[in-house]
Amino acid sequence: MATSLFEFNLVQTDPNFANFQYQDERLVLLDFGATREYAPSFGDGYRRLFCAALDHNEQAMTAALTDIGFFSQQIIPEQKQAIIHMVQLACEPLQQNAPFDFGNSTLAQRLRDAGTAISMQQNYWHSPPADALFLHRKIGGLYLLAARLGAKVNVRQQLQSWL
C-alpha cells in the first residue's frame, strides 16, 4: 500500500478479502474498481504523520493531522487528544522494529473501542475528510486481513524507505 499511496497517489480502497489472492508469500490485488486518486500533498501529510508517530511527537502529529484536514474546525482539546491517541494506537505496528503479530493482537478491538467512545460523545466534532476515511477503511481492512492470515510483519521495515 505504501507504494500506491506515496509513489502513485492511488489506493484501491475496498478492503474486501475477495479482492486479494495470496500467491507465493505475497498478497496480490485482483480488483482495481474502487481505486481512489490522492493529491501528492495528502500522501505527504501521512508521511509526516507516520514520522511524527514514530518520534512520539504530538505537536508534529497535530500539524500533520491539521494539514490532512482532521482539525479544520474548532474542537475541544479532549477530542483532539482522543484522535491523537487513536493515531498512536493505529501506528502501533509501525512503532516496533520487529514483526508485528497481527493474528494475536487486540489492536483492531482497541481501535474500534476508542472510535466508538469518541463518536458517542455529545457535541462530537466533524467527520474526518472523505479521502482519509477511504484510506483508513483500506488500512483497517489490511489489519483484518493480516489478522486472518496470522501474519507477522515488520511494518516499520516495509515503510522505512517511504518515511
Side-chain angles (χ1 to χ4, degrees):
M1 187 185 88
T3 301
S4 63
L5 177 62
F6 297 130
E7 186 174 338
F8 300 123
N9 301 310
L10 295 168
V11 176
Q12 193 277 4
T13 59
D14 184 359
N16 184 340
F17 295 138
N19 289 337
F20 298 90
Q21 181 178 28
Y22 187 68
Q23 184 178 73
D24 299 325
E25 298 186 17
R26 295 181 323 161
L27 284 178
V28 178
L29 180 61
L30 302 174
D31 179 3
F32 291 88
T35 300
R36 188 172 185 88
E37 185 173 358
Y38 290 102
S41 61
F42 184 79
D44 290 341
Y46 273 91
R47 181 180 291 113
R48 289 192 325 273
L49 180 61
F50 294 153
C51 288
L54 276 173
D55 292 338
H56 302 283
N57 183 335
E58 288 190 18
Q59 185 176 1
M61 289 173 68
T62 298
L65 287 165
T66 300
D67 290 346
I68 293 166
F70 274 82
F71 301 143
S72 60
Q73 298 177 8
Q74 293 293 344
I75 64 171
I76 61 174
E78 294 82 9
Q79 291 170 338
K80 186 180 281 189
Q81 192 60 42
I83 296 303
I84 290 170
H85 173 70
M86 282 191 66
V87 170
Q88 289 170 328
L89 277 177
C91 289
E92 193 173 288
L94 176 62
Q95 291 172 336
Q96 69 179 49
N97 194 13
F100 185 83
D101 188 350
F102 285 90
N104 288 315
S105 173
T106 61
L107 180 59
Q109 172 79 33
R110 289 182 284 137
L111 282 168
R112 188 188 76 210
D113 292 347
T116 300
I118 291 171
S119 68
M120 298 304 251
Q121 290 178 3
Q122 202 170 24
N123 298 321
Y124 179 65
W125 70 300
H126 65 97
S127 297
D131 283 343
L133 286 174
F134 280 101
L135 182 62
H136 296 180
R137 179 177 176 226
K138 172 65 172 215
I139 292 170
L142 289 174
Y143 277 3
L144 293 175
L145 180 59
R148 181 177 280 183
L149 293 173
K152 295 177 183 171
V153 179
N154 187 328
V155 176
R156 182 183 294 190
Q157 185 179 37
Q158 295 292 317
L159 286 178
Q160 196 67 49
S161 66
W162 300 106
L163 302 180

